[in-house]
Amino acid sequence: MKQRTIATLIVVGGLALFAAGCKKKPPVSAPPPPPPVTGTTGRGPAAVIDSFTAEPSTIVRGESSTLRWSVSNATEVTIDNGIGTVPATGSRQVNPAQTATYRMTAKGSGGDAIAAVTVAVTTPPPPPPPKAAPSASLEERMRTAVQDVFFDYDRSEVREDGRATLQRNADAIKAIFNDFPSAVISLEGHCDERGSAEYNLGLGDRRSTSVREFLVQLGVPEPRLKPISYGKERPFCTESTERCWQENRRVHFVGVQ
Amino acid sequence: MKKMIPFLRSAGIRRLGRGGAEAPRGLKPALHGPAASRALVWVGVFLVMGALAWTQTRSDIKLILKGGTVRKIALPDFRAAGGAAPLAAVFNQTVFDDIQRSGLLEPAAKSFYPLNPPQQESDLRATPEPRPARRGAAPETPNCGGLCLSDWANPPVEAAYLGFGYLAEQAGQLVAFGHLYTTSVPDVASAKAFRKLYNAPMTEEGARRLAHEYAADILKQFGGQSLAGSKIYFVSDRGGASGTKELWVMDFDGQDQRQLTKFNSVSTMPAVSPDHNRLAFTTFAKGQPQIMVMSLETFRYLPFMNPQASLNATPSFTPDGSRMLFSSTLDGRYTQIYVANADGTGVQRLSNSRAIEMEPKVNPKTGQDVLFVSGRGGGQHIYRMNLDGAGVERITDGTGEAANPAWHPDGQIIAFKWTRGFAPGNWNLFIMDVASRETAQLTHGAGRNENPSWAPDGRHLVFSSNRSGRYQIYSMLPDGTELRQLTHTGNNTMPVWVK
């Protein structure tokens, strides 16, 4: 126990001695250098920076800018920011990651000159979202969003159920026209097999035209709606039943790019 | 042909009350006076049309024309030797068909013919004197096995006329000698109506042509106009991709069917110019329905300037061929009737209504009045107006729906389709005397019967019907007899019969 206490004291004492030994008095600081002489004191011409530019002065990150300079009467020309000593006249490409100021120091026997240029770095805009590749083809959009309108025998007025359909169609068609700026929609007028083929051409045209008028009233641009009557030439259904006839008395919407 | 009109009028058009079997009210006033005597002479001479009677079915008034006293003609087969032999069957069948189709004469059944018909004039023998009857027995009919005219006049043949002859090969050509004799005249020399020599190439086509010419000469003796050489333009969906229709042409008897257009689209509603060298039609080849005109001489397309409209359709020519009437949506709202020069320039509007108007047809005789189909009264009906668009009047009575007006060459009668008495779409053919508005029904519910068109002879009609399932083209006489199916493949519609 006694031995341990003695050892501790020795260590502590040693440390105390060591600490006292390390302490130094602060050194006497050197006097400041004399201010640089600016006047001509017969020691030679002072350095002159004729030009120091950055072109362009504003870059997007990742691009580069060119520093150009021209200095006369210099014994040594340096540029900071890691460029170092350069010739009296020259250029250097820089591509700072962020806005940086380049300071040029030209030493001359008769005096020094200092100039600085700043290259501003702007961050590039975020990339545009990948081209909204129309998620669905025109055909698909027409099929899913635009519904055919049906008519009564030998009639071309839009029925009550047709009005509701056309209200929805108008919005869908406007959206489609927005996404497909060159698209045109054919309004195909169809009739059932009972009327004359000849008269049905006229009737199909009436059906297309009345649908077009209705859509135009809802703000769909008229020139992009093209009526075309197929009369009874292209039936959807070929049986001689009322269900089938109703199927055929319609205006069918077809998108054309 | 003109002489048919009294028939059509007299065929006319009397109605019975719906009560029952009321007797016809005698002949029409039109059959008295000068016109009537002409008509009676005609009927008397040619004995074409017999008694006329109306009967009534439960649902519909039905017209029956009986052809009871049509004269019979015996047409023993022409024989042929050498290169002509294989063509004899075609020749004989064509002659028989042409005569039968005419409705002017009835070919006697060949099974009753004597076994040894004459082939040339020198074969004929004078009719022998009947031997005096033995007591108690009927006088015996002299019989020379076919070489005497009396063999053909007497039972069982009982033909009033005899046509005979033969086919031969001469210098690589097919030659036919055709004769026509009246069997009731005992003197052979005065019994002869004609003897004629016919020439054609040594082909089946040539044999058919000879037969048509010979049959035409026979029919000419009875005032009949030959249909030989006349063509029927029509629309067919055969051959092409599904849903396409092209324009075709065939001979009047259904032979030689040929495709004219190849748009792989829908081309339909043909009309032929009066000089038969232009074909106008409606086509979807360029999207919206537009009119196109084809030369029937070069089969190239002729310029026709379609008005800027969503629809230009149902073209037809004026009788002088200089202008075209058609329907168009030029006003932006309704399909209306317009007239333009034959190249589409100088468009003028004719009709003016807030309704669908199609199918303008100018009267071929007067060139002044226009029939058209309009929905202005609700439902499609046939209207008439002057060529300047004035004087519009409805000519069908407003019941059912009526369309497809087709002028008879005489400009007085029309054929058209009507749904009278049937549900919409169940079209039957009718004829109407435009002046009196009297109508007669020609078909009676067998399928849909549409697009009638008169033959150049004014006696036959061609039309399309789906009576056998698909649409086919048929020809017939207005009384419904001599019905022939001319097409058999695909669907065939919209026939137009021209010279």
mmCIF file with all atom_site columns, all heavy atoms in Angstrom, chain A residues 212-232:
data_model
loop_
_atom_site.group_PDB
_atom_site.id
_atom_site.type_symbol
_atom_site.label_atom_id
_atom_site.label_alt_id
_atom_site.label_comp_id
_atom_site.label_asym_id
_atom_site.label_entity_id
_atom_site.label_seq_id
_atom_site.pdbx_PDB_ins_code
_atom_site.Cartn_x
_atom_site.Cartn_y
_atom_site.Cartn_z
_atom_site.occupancy
_atom_site.B_iso_or_equiv
_atom_site.pdbx_formal_charge
_atom_site.auth_seq_id
_atom_site.auth_comp_id
_atom_site.auth_asym_id
_atom_site.auth_atom_id
_atom_site.pdbx_PDB_model_num
ATOM 1   N N   . ARG A 1 212 ? -72.103 17.439 -84.087 1.00 0.00 ? 212 ARG A N   1
ATOM 2   C CA  . ARG A 1 212 ? -71.076 18.469 -84.152 1.00 0.00 ? 212 ARG A CA  1
ATOM 3   C C   . ARG A 1 212 ? -71.595 19.793 -83.568 1.00 0.00 ? 212 ARG A C   1
ATOM 4   O O   . ARG A 1 212 ? -70.919 20.440 -82.774 1.00 0.00 ? 212 ARG A O   1
ATOM 5   C CB  . ARG A 1 212 ? -70.605 18.686 -85.589 1.00 0.00 ? 212 ARG A CB  1
ATOM 6   C CG  . ARG A 1 212 ? -69.499 19.734 -85.656 1.00 0.00 ? 212 ARG A CG  1
ATOM 7   C CD  . ARG A 1 212 ? -68.856 19.840 -86.994 1.00 0.00 ? 212 ARG A CD  1
ATOM 8   N NE  . ARG A 1 212 ? -69.779 20.402 -87.961 1.00 0.00 ? 212 ARG A NE  1
ATOM 9   C CZ  . ARG A 1 212 ? -69.420 20.877 -89.146 1.00 0.00 ? 212 ARG A CZ  1
ATOM 10  N NH1 . ARG A 1 212 ? -68.155 20.829 -89.499 1.00 0.00 ? 212 ARG A NH1 1
ATOM 11  N NH2 . ARG A 1 212 ? -70.313 21.359 -89.976 1.00 0.00 ? 212 ARG A NH2 1
ATOM 12  N N   . GLU A 1 213 ? -72.816 20.156 -83.952 1.00 0.00 ? 213 GLU A N   1
ATOM 13  C CA  . GLU A 1 213 ? -73.371 21.405 -83.430 1.00 0.00 ? 213 GLU A CA  1
ATOM 14  C C   . GLU A 1 213 ? -73.403 21.380 -81.903 1.00 0.00 ? 213 GLU A C   1
ATOM 15  O O   . GLU A 1 213 ? -73.067 22.358 -81.244 1.00 0.00 ? 213 GLU A O   1
ATOM 16  C CB  . GLU A 1 213 ? -74.782 21.632 -83.988 1.00 0.00 ? 213 GLU A CB  1
ATOM 17  C CG  . GLU A 1 213 ? -74.750 22.184 -85.403 1.00 0.00 ? 213 GLU A CG  1
ATOM 18  C CD  . GLU A 1 213 ? -76.100 22.086 -86.100 1.00 0.00 ? 213 GLU A CD  1
ATOM 19  O OE1 . GLU A 1 213 ? -77.102 21.688 -85.462 1.00 0.00 ? 213 GLU A OE1 1
ATOM 20  O OE2 . GLU A 1 213 ? -76.149 22.398 -87.313 1.00 0.00 ? 213 GLU A OE2 1
ATOM 21  N N   . PHE A 1 214 ? -73.805 20.231 -81.374 1.00 0.00 ? 214 PHE A N   1
ATOM 22  C CA  . PHE A 1 214 ? -73.913 20.102 -79.917 1.00 0.00 ? 214 PHE A CA  1
ATOM 23  C C   . PHE A 1 214 ? -72.539 20.268 -79.255 1.00 0.00 ? 214 PHE A C   1
ATOM 24  O O   . PHE A 1 214 ? -72.379 21.001 -78.279 1.00 0.00 ? 214 PHE A O   1
ATOM 25  C CB  . PHE A 1 214 ? -74.489 18.725 -79.579 1.00 0.00 ? 214 PHE A CB  1
ATOM 26  C CG  . PHE A 1 214 ? -75.018 18.609 -78.191 1.00 0.00 ? 214 PHE A CG  1
ATOM 27  C CD1 . PHE A 1 214 ? -76.364 18.762 -77.933 1.00 0.00 ? 214 PHE A CD1 1
ATOM 28  C CD2 . PHE A 1 214 ? -74.164 18.331 -77.127 1.00 0.00 ? 214 PHE A CD2 1
ATOM 29  C CE1 . PHE A 1 214 ? -76.851 18.654 -76.646 1.00 0.00 ? 214 PHE A CE1 1
ATOM 30  C CE2 . PHE A 1 214 ? -74.645 18.220 -75.840 1.00 0.00 ? 214 PHE A CE2 1
ATOM 31  C CZ  . PHE A 1 214 ? -75.991 18.382 -75.589 1.00 0.00 ? 214 PHE A CZ  1
ATOM 32  N N   . LEU A 1 215 ? -71.529 19.617 -79.834 1.00 0.00 ? 215 LEU A N   1
ATOM 33  C CA  . LEU A 1 215 ? -70.191 19.690 -79.247 1.00 0.00 ? 215 LEU A CA  1
ATOM 34  C C   . LEU A 1 215 ? -69.601 21.087 -79.370 1.00 0.00 ? 215 LEU A C   1
ATOM 35  O O   . LEU A 1 215 ? -68.918 21.560 -78.459 1.00 0.00 ? 215 LEU A O   1
ATOM 36  C CB  . LEU A 1 215 ? -69.268 18.670 -79.927 1.00 0.00 ? 215 LEU A CB  1
ATOM 37  C CG  . LEU A 1 215 ? -69.570 17.200 -79.628 1.00 0.00 ? 215 LEU A CG  1
ATOM 38  C CD1 . LEU A 1 215 ? -68.676 16.308 -80.468 1.00 0.00 ? 215 LEU A CD1 1
ATOM 39  C CD2 . LEU A 1 215 ? -69.386 16.903 -78.144 1.00 0.00 ? 215 LEU A CD2 1
ATOM 40  N N   . VAL A 1 216 ? -69.893 21.751 -80.481 1.00 0.00 ? 216 VAL A N   1
ATOM 41  C CA  . VAL A 1 216 ? -69.351 23.091 -80.683 1.00 0.00 ? 216 VAL A CA  1
ATOM 42  C C   . VAL A 1 216 ? -69.930 24.043 -79.637 1.00 0.00 ? 216 VAL A C   1
ATOM 43  O O   . VAL A 1 216 ? -69.238 24.892 -79.093 1.00 0.00 ? 216 VAL A O   1
ATOM 44  C CB  . VAL A 1 216 ? -69.636 23.576 -82.118 1.00 0.00 ? 216 VAL A CB  1
ATOM 45  C CG1 . VAL A 1 216 ? -69.380 25.059 -82.262 1.00 0.00 ? 216 VAL A CG1 1
ATOM 46  C CG2 . VAL A 1 216 ? -68.772 22.790 -83.102 1.00 0.00 ? 216 VAL A CG2 1
ATOM 47  N N   . GLN A 1 217 ? -71.209 23.847 -79.314 1.00 0.00 ? 217 GLN A N   1
ATOM 48  C CA  . GLN A 1 217 ? -71.826 24.669 -78.270 1.00 0.00 ? 217 GLN A CA  1
ATOM 49  C C   . GLN A 1 217 ? -71.136 24.470 -76.928 1.00 0.00 ? 217 GLN A C   1
ATOM 50  O O   . GLN A 1 217 ? -71.131 25.343 -76.084 1.00 0.00 ? 217 GLN A O   1
ATOM 51  C CB  . GLN A 1 217 ? -73.307 24.323 -78.128 1.00 0.00 ? 217 GLN A CB  1
ATOM 52  C CG  . GLN A 1 217 ? -74.166 25.063 -79.129 1.00 0.00 ? 217 GLN A CG  1
ATOM 53  C CD  . GLN A 1 217 ? -75.600 24.616 -79.055 1.00 0.00 ? 217 GLN A CD  1
ATOM 54  O OE1 . GLN A 1 217 ? -75.957 23.828 -78.175 1.00 0.00 ? 217 GLN A OE1 1
ATOM 55  N NE2 . GLN A 1 217 ? -76.418 25.099 -79.959 1.00 0.00 ? 217 GLN A NE2 1
ATOM 56  N N   . LEU A 1 218 ? -70.563 23.287 -76.747 1.00 0.00 ? 218 LEU A N   1
ATOM 57  C CA  . LEU A 1 218 ? -69.872 23.015 -75.487 1.00 0.00 ? 218 LEU A CA  1
ATOM 58  C C   . LEU A 1 218 ? -68.399 23.401 -75.575 1.00 0.00 ? 218 LEU A C   1
ATOM 59  O O   . LEU A 1 218 ? -67.600 23.005 -74.730 1.00 0.00 ? 218 LEU A O   1
ATOM 60  C CB  . LEU A 1 218 ? -70.002 21.534 -75.128 1.00 0.00 ? 218 LEU A CB  1
ATOM 61  C CG  . LEU A 1 218 ? -71.431 21.065 -74.855 1.00 0.00 ? 218 LEU A CG  1
ATOM 62  C CD1 . LEU A 1 218 ? -71.474 19.566 -74.641 1.00 0.00 ? 218 LEU A CD1 1
ATOM 63  C CD2 . LEU A 1 218 ? -72.004 21.773 -73.640 1.00 0.00 ? 218 LEU A CD2 1
ATOM 64  N N   . GLY A 1 219 ? -68.038 24.106 -76.637 1.00 0.00 ? 219 GLY A N   1
ATOM 65  C CA  . GLY A 1 219 ? -66.700 24.665 -76.701 1.00 0.00 ? 219 GLY A CA  1
ATOM 66  C C   . GLY A 1 219 ? -65.673 23.824 -77.427 1.00 0.00 ? 219 GLY A C   1
ATOM 67  O O   . GLY A 1 219 ? -64.488 24.112 -77.376 1.00 0.00 ? 219 GLY A O   1
ATOM 68  N N   . VAL A 1 220 ? -66.101 22.766 -78.097 1.00 0.00 ? 220 VAL A N   1
ATOM 69  C CA  . VAL A 1 220 ? -65.142 21.981 -78.877 1.00 0.00 ? 220 VAL A CA  1
ATOM 70  C C   . VAL A 1 220 ? -64.916 22.709 -80.197 1.00 0.00 ? 220 VAL A C   1
ATOM 71  O O   . VAL A 1 220 ? -65.876 23.147 -80.832 1.00 0.00 ? 220 VAL A O   1
ATOM 72  C CB  . VAL A 1 220 ? -65.689 20.556 -79.137 1.00 0.00 ? 220 VAL A CB  1
ATOM 73  C CG1 . VAL A 1 220 ? -64.697 19.742 -79.949 1.00 0.00 ? 220 VAL A CG1 1
ATOM 74  C CG2 . VAL A 1 220 ? -66.005 19.870 -77.826 1.00 0.00 ? 220 VAL A CG2 1
ATOM 75  N N   . PRO A 1 221 ? -63.648 22.888 -80.599 1.00 0.00 ? 221 PRO A N   1
ATOM 76  C CA  . PRO A 1 221 ? -63.392 23.642 -81.838 1.00 0.00 ? 221 PRO A CA  1
ATOM 77  C C   . PRO A 1 221 ? -63.963 22.964 -83.070 1.00 0.00 ? 221 PRO A C   1
ATOM 78  O O   . PRO A 1 221 ? -63.632 21.808 -83.361 1.00 0.00 ? 221 PRO A O   1
ATOM 79  C CB  . PRO A 1 221 ? -61.860 23.729 -81.903 1.00 0.00 ? 221 PRO A CB  1
ATOM 80  C CG  . PRO A 1 221 ? -61.355 22.683 -80.972 1.00 0.00 ? 221 PRO A CG  1
ATOM 81  C CD  . PRO A 1 221 ? -62.402 22.462 -79.937 1.00 0.00 ? 221 PRO A CD  1
ATOM 82  N N   . GLU A 1 222 ? -64.819 23.681 -83.781 1.00 0.00 ? 222 GLU A N   1
ATOM 83  C CA  . GLU A 1 222 ? -65.546 23.110 -84.913 1.00 0.00 ? 222 GLU A CA  1
ATOM 84  C C   . GLU A 1 222 ? -64.642 22.565 -86.016 1.00 0.00 ? 222 GLU A C   1
ATOM 85  O O   . GLU A 1 222 ? -64.912 21.497 -86.563 1.00 0.00 ? 222 GLU A O   1
ATOM 86  C CB  . GLU A 1 222 ? -66.500 24.162 -85.486 1.00 0.00 ? 222 GLU A CB  1
ATOM 87  C CG  . GLU A 1 222 ? -67.256 23.647 -86.697 1.00 0.00 ? 222 GLU A CG  1
ATOM 88  C CD  . GLU A 1 222 ? -68.410 24.551 -87.096 1.00 0.00 ? 222 GLU A CD  1
ATOM 89  O OE1 . GLU A 1 222 ? -68.692 25.513 -86.376 1.00 0.00 ? 222 GLU A OE1 1
ATOM 90  O OE2 . GLU A 1 222 ? -69.007 24.271 -88.139 1.00 0.00 ? 222 GLU A OE2 1
ATOM 91  N N   . PRO A 1 223 ? -63.551 23.279 -86.371 1.00 0.00 ? 223 PRO A N   1
ATOM 92  C CA  . PRO A 1 223 ? -62.765 22.782 -87.509 1.00 0.00 ? 223 PRO A CA  1
ATOM 93  C C   . PRO A 1 223 ? -62.136 21.415 -87.256 1.00 0.00 ? 223 PRO A C   1
ATOM 94  O O   . PRO A 1 223 ? -61.707 20.766 -88.193 1.00 0.00 ? 223 PRO A O   1
ATOM 95  C CB  . PRO A 1 223 ? -61.667 23.843 -87.679 1.00 0.00 ? 223 PRO A CB  1
ATOM 96  C CG  . PRO A 1 223 ? -62.142 25.024 -86.928 1.00 0.00 ? 223 PRO A CG  1
ATOM 97  C CD  . PRO A 1 223 ? -63.027 24.526 -85.842 1.00 0.00 ? 223 PRO A CD  1
ATOM 98  N N   . ARG A 1 224 ? -62.077 21.013 -85.996 1.00 0.00 ? 224 ARG A N   1
ATOM 99  C CA  . ARG A 1 224 ? -61.447 19.726 -85.730 1.00 0.00 ? 224 ARG A CA  1
ATOM 100 C C   . ARG A 1 224 ? -62.465 18.600 -85.646 1.00 0.00 ? 224 ARG A C   1
ATOM 101 O O   . ARG A 1 224 ? -62.121 17.469 -85.298 1.00 0.00 ? 224 ARG A O   1
ATOM 102 C CB  . ARG A 1 224 ? -60.626 19.818 -84.442 1.00 0.00 ? 224 ARG A CB  1
ATOM 103 C CG  . ARG A 1 224 ? -59.516 20.865 -84.587 1.00 0.00 ? 224 ARG A CG  1
ATOM 104 C CD  . ARG A 1 224 ? -58.663 20.988 -83.376 1.00 0.00 ? 224 ARG A CD  1
ATOM 105 N NE  . ARG A 1 224 ? -57.852 19.801 -83.156 1.00 0.00 ? 224 ARG A NE  1
ATOM 106 C CZ  . ARG A 1 224 ? -56.962 19.702 -82.168 1.00 0.00 ? 224 ARG A CZ  1
ATOM 107 N NH1 . ARG A 1 224 ? -56.789 20.702 -81.339 1.00 0.00 ? 224 ARG A NH1 1
ATOM 108 N NH2 . ARG A 1 224 ? -56.257 18.601 -82.023 1.00 0.00 ? 224 ARG A NH2 1
ATOM 109 N N   . LEU A 1 225 ? -63.711 18.906 -85.954 1.00 0.00 ? 225 LEU A N   1
ATOM 110 C CA  . LEU A 1 225 ? -64.747 17.866 -85.975 1.00 0.00 ? 225 LEU A CA  1
ATOM 111 C C   . LEU A 1 225 ? -65.204 17.705 -87.412 1.00 0.00 ? 225 LEU A C   1
ATOM 112 O O   . LEU A 1 225 ? -65.694 18.642 -88.030 1.00 0.00 ? 225 LEU A O   1
ATOM 113 C CB  . LEU A 1 225 ? -65.924 18.282 -85.095 1.00 0.00 ? 225 LEU A CB  1
ATOM 114 C CG  . LEU A 1 225 ? -65.603 18.445 -83.606 1.00 0.00 ? 225 LEU A CG  1
ATOM 115 C CD1 . LEU A 1 225 ? -66.819 19.006 -82.890 1.00 0.00 ? 225 LEU A CD1 1
ATOM 116 C CD2 . LEU A 1 225 ? -65.191 17.117 -83.004 1.00 0.00 ? 225 LEU A CD2 1
ATOM 117 N N   . LYS A 1 226 ? -65.028 16.516 -87.963 1.00 0.00 ? 226 LYS A N   1
ATOM 118 C CA  . LYS A 1 226 ? -65.299 16.316 -89.386 1.00 0.00 ? 226 LYS A CA  1
ATOM 119 C C   . LYS A 1 226 ? -66.450 15.336 -89.567 1.00 0.00 ? 226 LYS A C   1
ATOM 120 O O   . LYS A 1 226 ? -66.307 14.150 -89.287 1.00 0.00 ? 226 LYS A O   1
ATOM 121 C CB  . LYS A 1 226 ? -64.038 15.757 -90.035 1.00 0.00 ? 226 LYS A CB  1
ATOM 122 C CG  . LYS A 1 226 ? -64.131 15.589 -91.527 1.00 0.00 ? 226 LYS A CG  1
ATOM 123 C CD  . LYS A 1 226 ? -62.812 15.027 -92.040 1.00 0.00 ? 226 LYS A CD  1
ATOM 124 C CE  . LYS A 1 226 ? -62.944 14.548 -93.472 1.00 0.00 ? 226 LYS A CE  1
ATOM 125 N NZ  . LYS A 1 226 ? -61.884 13.629 -93.828 1.00 0.00 ? 226 LYS A NZ  1
ATOM 126 N N   . PRO A 1 227 ? -67.603 15.814 -90.022 1.00 0.00 ? 227 PRO A N   1
ATOM 127 C CA  . PRO A 1 227 ? -68.718 14.891 -90.216 1.00 0.00 ? 227 PRO A CA  1
ATOM 128 C C   . PRO A 1 227 ? -68.491 14.009 -91.445 1.00 0.00 ? 227 PRO A C   1
ATOM 129 O O   . PRO A 1 227 ? -67.978 14.474 -92.462 1.00 0.00 ? 227 PRO A O   1
ATOM 130 C CB  . PRO A 1 227 ? -69.921 15.812 -90.422 1.00 0.00 ? 227 PRO A CB  1
ATOM 131 C CG  . PRO A 1 227 ? -69.352 17.098 -90.884 1.00 0.00 ? 227 PRO A CG  1
ATOM 132 C CD  . PRO A 1 227 ? -67.948 17.188 -90.364 1.00 0.00 ? 227 PRO A CD  1
ATOM 133 N N   . ILE A 1 228 ? -68.836 12.753 -91.325 1.00 0.00 ? 228 ILE A N   1
ATOM 134 C CA  . ILE A 1 228 ? -68.774 11.864 -92.489 1.00 0.00 ? 228 ILE A CA  1
ATOM 135 C C   . ILE A 1 228 ? -69.910 10.862 -92.367 1.00 0.00 ? 228 ILE A C   1
ATOM 136 O O   . ILE A 1 228 ? -70.046 10.193 -91.358 1.00 0.00 ? 228 ILE A O   1
ATOM 137 C CB  . ILE A 1 228 ? -67.396 11.174 -92.622 1.00 0.00 ? 228 ILE A CB  1
ATOM 138 C CG1 . ILE A 1 228 ? -67.428 10.148 -93.736 1.00 0.00 ? 228 ILE A CG1 1
ATOM 139 C CG2 . ILE A 1 228 ? -66.935 10.543 -91.334 1.00 0.00 ? 228 ILE A CG2 1
ATOM 140 C CD1 . ILE A 1 228 ? -66.054 9.676  -94.153 1.00 0.00 ? 228 ILE A CD1 1
ATOM 141 N N   . SER A 1 229 ? -70.728 10.809 -93.391 1.00 0.00 ? 229 SER A N   1
ATOM 142 C CA  . SER A 1 229 ? -71.881 9.914  -93.343 1.00 0.00 ? 229 SER A CA  1
ATOM 143 C C   . SER A 1 229 ? -71.560 8.604  -94.043 1.00 0.00 ? 229 SER A C   1
ATOM 144 O O   . SER A 1 229 ? -71.128 8.598  -95.186 1.00 0.00 ? 229 SER A O   1
ATOM 145 C CB  . SER A 1 229 ? -73.077 10.560 -94.021 1.00 0.00 ? 229 SER A CB  1
ATOM 146 O OG  . SER A 1 229 ? -74.115 9.604  -94.126 1.00 0.00 ? 229 SER A OG  1
ATOM 147 N N   . TYR A 1 230 ? -71.788 7.512  -93.352 1.00 0.00 ? 230 TYR A N   1
ATOM 148 C CA  . TYR A 1 230 ? -71.679 6.203  -93.992 1.00 0.00 ? 230 TYR A CA  1
ATOM 149 C C   . TYR A 1 230 ? -73.049 5.609  -94.313 1.00 0.00 ? 230 TYR A C   1
ATOM 150 O O   . TYR A 1 230 ? -73.118 4.493  -94.806 1.00 0.00 ? 230 TYR A O   1
ATOM 151 C CB  . TYR A 1 230 ? -70.875 5.245  -93.106 1.00 0.00 ? 230 TYR A CB  1
ATOM 152 C CG  . TYR A 1 230 ? -69.385 5.484  -93.213 1.00 0.00 ? 230 TYR A CG  1
ATOM 153 C CD1 . TYR A 1 230 ? -68.656 5.969  -92.156 1.00 0.00 ? 230 TYR A CD1 1
ATOM 154 C CD2 . TYR A 1 230 ? -68.732 5.230  -94.416 1.00 0.00 ? 230 TYR A CD2 1
ATOM 155 C CE1 . TYR A 1 230 ? -67.295 6.211  -92.282 1.00 0.00 ? 230 TYR A CE1 1
ATOM 156 C CE2 . TYR A 1 230 ? -67.385 5.468  -94.547 1.00 0.00 ? 230 TYR A CE2 1
ATOM 157 C CZ  . TYR A 1 230 ? -66.663 5.952  -93.484 1.00 0.00 ? 230 TYR A CZ  1
ATOM 158 O OH  . TYR A 1 230 ? -65.324 6.185  -93.621 1.00 0.00 ? 230 TYR A OH  1
ATOM 159 N N   . GLY A 1 231 ? -74.120 6.348  -94.021 1.00 0.00 ? 231 GLY A N   1
ATOM 160 C CA  . GLY A 1 231 ? -75.438 5.794  -94.300 1.00 0.00 ? 231 GLY A CA  1
ATOM 161 C C   . GLY A 1 231 ? -75.561 4.414  -93.689 1.00 0.00 ? 231 GLY A C   1
ATOM 162 O O   . GLY A 1 231 ? -75.270 4.223  -92.508 1.00 0.00 ? 231 GLY A O   1
ATOM 163 N N   . LYS A 1 232 ? -75.942 3.429  -94.510 1.00 0.00 ? 232 LYS A N   1
ATOM 164 C CA  . LYS A 1 232 ? -75.983 2.064  -93.981 1.00 0.00 ? 232 LYS A CA  1
ATOM 165 C C   . LYS A 1 232 ? -74.897 1.217  -94.621 1.00 0.00 ? 232 LYS A C   1
ATOM 166 O O   . LYS A 1 232 ? -75.024 -0.005 -94.712 1.00 0.00 ? 232 LYS A O   1
ATOM 167 C CB  . LYS A 1 232 ? -77.367 1.455  -94.173 1.00 0.00 ? 232 LYS A CB  1
ATOM 168 C CG  . LYS A 1 232 ? -77.828 1.324  -95.609 1.00 0.00 ? 232 LYS A CG  1
ATOM 169 C CD  . LYS A 1 232 ? -79.156 0.554  -95.623 1.00 0.00 ? 232 LYS A CD  1
ATOM 170 C CE  . LYS A 1 232 ? -79.725 0.436  -97.007 1.00 0.00 ? 232 LYS A CE  1
ATOM 171 N NZ  . LYS A 1 232 ? -81.005 -0.287 -97.027 1.00 0.00 ? 232 LYS A NZ  1
#
